Amino acid sequence: MKTMQAQNESALDRTNAALDRFRADMATHREDAAKRDAEAVKRDKDNQRWTITLILGCTALVIGAVALFS
């Protein structure tokens, strides 16, 4: 009986250790996901800025070409 109890306690200790490692891994994963999300927001802002600038530049170019050739 004592052997079974010792085995059960050992299994419980291993399970708790595995859960602790899992919790630590999940915390690291959450931090990494937050960093990726912040970087994605920055990239989206930069891309939007470039797109708007390109559209405005092309519009100005077309207006200038129309004014020049009319």
Side-chain angles (χ1 to χ4, degrees):
M1 186 70 155
K2 289 187 184 222
T3 303
M4 293 283 282
Q5 186 177 6
Q7 287 176 347
N8 287 340
E9 287 176 5
S10 174
L12 184 60
D13 290 341
R14 288 192 310 270
T15 302
N16 286 336
L19 284 173
D20 289 341
R21 287 191 309 271
F22 177 72
R23 287 183 185 112
D25 288 344
M26 287 304 296
T28 302
H29 175 70
R30 283 189 201 102
E31 291 172 4
D32 291 344
K35 287 178 187 176
R36 274 193 313 273
D37 291 345
E39 290 172 2
V41 167
K42 184 181 180 306
R43 276 194 314 273
D44 288 346
K45 276 185 173 179
D46 290 344
N47 289 341
Q48 186 178 24
R49 200 172 294 139
W50 274 101
T51 302
I52 290 170
T53 303
L54 181 64
I55 290 171
L56 291 174
C58 288
T59 303
L61 184 64
V62 168
I63 291 172
V66 167
L68 182 65
F69 293 114
S70 27

